[in-house]
Amino acid sequence: MIKIQDIWKSFRKKSVLKGVNLDIEEGKTCVILGGSGCGKSVLLKLIVGLLKPDRGNITVFGQDITRLSKIELMKMRQVFGVVFQEGALFDSLNVLENVGFFLFEHTNMPVPEIKMKVRDSLSLVGLSGIENLYPSNLSSGMKKRVALARAIIMKPRIILYDEPTTGIDPPTAYGINRLIKELAKKLNVTSIVVTHDISSAFFVADRVAMLDDGKI
């Protein structure tokens, strides 16, 4: 589904990725494991097109996203759902508005239909009846789940997780890991999980890629 070929990326004079090669199989969960600062999150941003590589190609569904125009890239991004490291929820919006953000902002979908889709997404991540709460009312684990509900509301074919268990206690982390596995089966999605947590990696992964010194 995703083919990463000879990807290089530097920031100023610091080389972060030095010829990364990796194939992501459809319907599988691939964990990219490595220490802090090794370039895992940079690779994730390259896969979704938020950054461009200095060299190399990233092919998604047979299309090289490094060569797409902005409009083509925006269309391609709709196949992705992204769960950011800190959740990246909007503090001024309630859960309903956060989860349904894309639908409210970029579609003409009727509000009752958006609300129904939000409830369905929240139900899939084990949260119901919290649509009117704000991020400040949520625990760290609940914020992660709300962020995941937002990522799946558009029924993506690929979900990217950036350090999904960072900053939460072990029991909550276990719940998030279990949810990643359950959603992979229920939604039949391809998942890429970036983490430095070895126990999480072995729990959720079908395949593990170790990123070290800029290479797999």
Side-chain angles (χ1 to χ4, degrees), residues 25-184:
E25 298 176 25
E26 185 171 2
K28 301 293 185 181
T29 298
C30 178
V31 169
I32 301 172
L33 189 65
S36 298
C38 75
K40 303 186 303 298
S41 294
V42 171
L43 184 56
L44 213 60
K45 289 174 182 175
L46 287 163
I47 292 170
V48 79
L50 294 174
L51 292 174
K52 281 196 173 289
D54 301 328
R55 197 168 90 210
N57 308 96
I58 300 174
T59 306
V60 181
F61 299 119
Q63 282 191 294
D64 185 355
I65 65 168
T66 64
R67 300 180 185 276
L68 296 182
S69 66
K70 285 186 178 180
I71 294 174
E72 290 171 329
L73 193 54
M74 284 182 68
K75 187 176 180 181
M76 172 61 76
R77 283 189 187 132
Q78 292 181 27
V79 306
F80 290 99
V82 183
V83 182
F84 296 98
Q85 184 171 339
E86 301 300 330
L89 300 179
F90 299 106
D91 291 336
S92 60
L93 303 181
N94 63 22
V95 170
L96 170 67
E97 294 162 331
N98 265 290
V99 176
F101 183 80
F102 183 89
L103 298 175
F104 282 119
E105 294 293 320
H106 300 288
T107 73
N108 295 316
M109 188 178 291
V111 171
E113 192 174 341
I114 294 177
K115 288 182 176 180
M116 184 176 68
K117 285 183 175 293
V118 168
R119 284 195 294 269
D120 289 344
S121 289
L122 287 171
S123 177
L124 279 170
V125 300
L127 295 174
S128 296
I130 66 162
E131 291 90 335
N132 295 322
L133 296 181
Y134 284 81
S136 59
N137 305 126
L138 305 176
S139 67
S140 56
M142 290 173 75
K143 288 178 182 177
K144 298 269 188 182
R145 288 174 180 260
V146 169
L148 184 47
R150 181 176 61 187
I152 65 175
I153 196 167
M154 294 297 292
K155 293 184 168 50
R157 295 183 64 184
I158 304 165
I159 302 180
L160 310 180
Y161 299 88
D162 189 6
E163 300 283 5
T165 58
T166 294
I168 53 180
D169 58 85
T172 305
Y174 173 75
I176 295 295
N177 287 331
R178 191 173 60 184
L179 189 57
I180 292 171
K181 288 192 75 168
E182 288 174 358
L183 287 176

Side-chain angles (χ1 to χ4, degrees), residues 33-34 38 210-216:
L33 189 65
C38 75
M210 181 73 185
L211 186 61
D212 181 54
D213 193 30
K215 293 183 179 182
I216 300 298

